[in-house]
């Protein structure tokens, strides 16, 4: 168990994804804008006459096509630092060439990174050759061994698995899409951008790299809807004659809601921490409904980030809007119903506690 823990597979994957997201967003918006105005992402178009929209679509398509290379390089770099860049890049290119896809790129990155670590740890060279280690020996051996492993060991099984997974998800019926979307939506929301959310993101990003945009769209719509739902809950609670937020929480919402519009969910964490069970429950219910609606109606944003800015990139923008509205309304209504009424006494107690903290701080400073 200790050895497995030291591998830190999840940590390296999430680090690489953090490098990947800006590339995916930049390329995704480029291809979305280009195709929205009639551009085509085929590089053959650039051999003849082409428009600016064709150029944007081609740039975006090329960027998205390099996802296996980027994730492989990122993982290998996270594991082995600078010596991992070259083998991670080349093995990622191999994964792309043999159509092992995003999963192939992930596995190739781990193979490259740990091969470099193994070479550094176990290969002993004469003193005169130590200067050649970073520029020649490590890249040569790790690329050679990793390339053979990719071609002869993991390439074909991963290609078959990716094709089978893609065909399975493409063949899901309406009821299955509802269930799958609900699970994605629930898991996406319950830890507000934390490890569970990022693990689900890694999975659905894999699917998007294979041309399945629905799951990652569901995840991002949940992230967008949750803070807005918390904001709407303030007004829904008023209809029920309740006050569910303290003045401090209301001030937090003024920042959290705009952050949610552009897909930053972490702004509601201070509010959730004041009432964890009810906050997480409302988020989970709303996220499950939003994810189910998104998947069943076929919301399919071509970019994995951006909040409401994703909607114009969908082939069915109304599906995205309906999923957002369903998620927001359900989150707001559930939260307004289950949260306790904030009384004037509890507000005064909170303010007194804050003033006491300030006084203590002044005493310590003096």
């Amino acid at each position: 168990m200790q050895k497995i823990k030291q591998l830190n597979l999840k940590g390296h994957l999430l680090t690489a994804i953090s490098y990947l997201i800006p590339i995916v967003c930049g390329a995704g918006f480029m291809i979305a804008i280009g195709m929205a105005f009639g551009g085509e992402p085929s590089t053959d178009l650039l051999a003849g006459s082409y428009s600016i929209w064709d150029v944007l679509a081609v740039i975006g398509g090329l960027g998205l096509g390099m996802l296996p290379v980027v994730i492989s390089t990122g993982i290998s770099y996270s594991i082995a630092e600078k010596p991992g860049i070259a083998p991670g890049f080349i093995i990622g290119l191999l994964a792309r060439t043999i159509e092992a896809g995003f999963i192939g790129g992930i596995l190739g990155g781990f193979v490259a990174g740990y091969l470099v670590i193994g070479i550094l740890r176990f290969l002993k060279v004469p003193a005169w050759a130590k200067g050649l280690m970073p520029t020649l020996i490590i890249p040569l051996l790790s690329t050679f061994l990793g390339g053979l492993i990719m071609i002869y060991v993991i390439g074909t099984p991963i290609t078959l698995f990716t094709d089978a997974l893609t065909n399975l998800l493409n063949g899901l019926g309406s009821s299955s899409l509802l269930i799958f979307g609900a699970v994605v939506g629930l898991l996406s929301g319950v830890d507000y951008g934390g490890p569970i959310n990022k693990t689900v993101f890694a999975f659905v990003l894999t699917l998007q790299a294979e041309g399945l945009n629905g799951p990652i769209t569901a995840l991002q719509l949940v992230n967008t809807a949750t803070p807005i739902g918390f904001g709407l809950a303030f007004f829904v609670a008023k209809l029920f004659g309740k006050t569910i937020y303290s003045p401090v929480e209301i001030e937090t919402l003024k920042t959290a809601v705009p952050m949610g519009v552009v897909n930053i969910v972490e702004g509601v964490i201070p509010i959730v921490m004041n009432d964890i069970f009810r906050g997480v429950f409302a988020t989970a219910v709303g996220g499950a409904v939003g994810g189910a609606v998104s998947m069943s109606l076929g919301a399919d944003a071509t970019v994995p980030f951006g909040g409401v800015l994703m909607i114009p990139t969908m082939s069915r923008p109304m599906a995205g809007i309906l999923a957002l509205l369903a998620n927001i309304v359900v989150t707001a209504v559930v939260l307004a119903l289950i949260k306790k009424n904030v009384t004037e006494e509890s507000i005064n107690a909170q303010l007194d506690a804050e003033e006491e903290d300030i006084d203590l701080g002044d005493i310590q400073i003096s």
Side-chain angles (χ1 to χ4, degrees), residues 71-335:
I71 196 70
S72 177
T73 307
I75 291 172
S76 185
Y77 174 75
S78 177
I79 295 169
E81 298 184 348
K82 188 176 179 181
I85 294 176
F89 181 84
I90 296 172
I91 294 172
L93 279 176
L94 273 177
R96 178 176 181 268
T97 302
I98 65 175
E99 297 183 351
F102 195 71
I103 297 176
I106 292 173
L107 293 179
F110 283 117
V111 168
Y114 286 118
L115 276 174
V116 172
I117 294 296
I119 292 169
L120 285 169
R121 181 171 298 178
F122 299 111
L123 182 63
K124 306 301 180 182
V125 297
W128 62 266
K130 288 184 177 179
L132 297 176
M133 284 286 285
T135 57
L136 175 61
I137 297 174
I138 292 175
L140 175 62
L141 289 179
S142 56
T143 301
F144 173 71
L145 295 173
L148 293 180
I149 293 172
M150 175 59 69
I151 295 293
Y152 291 106
V153 179
I154 65 177
T156 300
I158 289 301
T159 301
L160 293 175
F161 172 76
T162 301
D163 290 342
L165 180 61
T166 303
N167 292 334
L168 173 65
L169 293 176
N170 277 328
L172 289 179
S174 299
S175 58
S176 299
L177 284 172
L178 274 171
I179 296 171
F180 183 54
V183 172
V184 170
L186 188 152
L187 294 176
S188 300
V190 292
D191 68 344
Y192 308 93
I196 298 175
N197 181 285
K198 288 181 171 61
T199 300
V200 178
F201 181 82
F203 172 69
V204 295
L205 188 62
T206 297
L207 300 179
Q208 188 183 46
E210 303 306 321
L212 296 172
N213 294 325
I216 200 165
T217 302
L219 179 146
Q220 299 297 352
L221 289 177
V222 170
N223 287 346
T224 302
T226 298
I228 302 174
F230 271 67
L232 180 62
F234 172 83
F235 299 100
V236 175
K238 291 296 184 183
L239 296 178
F240 299 149
K242 295 174 65 178
T243 300
I244 61 173
Y245 295 126
S246 69
V248 174
E249 291 174 327
I250 292 172
E251 290 300 315
T252 301
L253 281 173
K254 292 178 182 179
T255 303
V257 172
M259 289 170 65
V261 172
V262 291
N263 208 332
I264 301 173
V265 71
E266 288 83 355
V268 297
I269 291 177
I271 298 174
V272 174
M273 294 304 293
N274 292 333
D275 193 353
I276 294 177
F277 174 78
R278 293 178 179 84
V280 171
F281 182 80
T283 301
V285 174
V289 171
V293 173
S294 176
M295 288 289 295
S296 61
L297 295 183
D300 57 347
T302 56
V303 292
F305 196 77
V308 297
L309 300 177
M310 299 186 301
I311 293 175
T313 74
M314 300 178 188
S315 61
R316 300 183 184 92
M318 278 305 301
I321 293 172
L322 291 174
L324 265 180
L325 290 176
N327 195 335
I328 291 168
V329 171
V330 171
T331 301
V333 171
V334 171
L335 193 61

Side-chain angles (χ1 to χ4, degrees), residues 30 33-35 37-40 50-58:
M30 291 287 272
I33 294 170
M35 294 181 68
F37 288 93
E40 294 290 338
Y50 51 86
S51 68
I52 181 64
W53 311 119
D54 293 323
V55 173
L56 294 183
V58 168

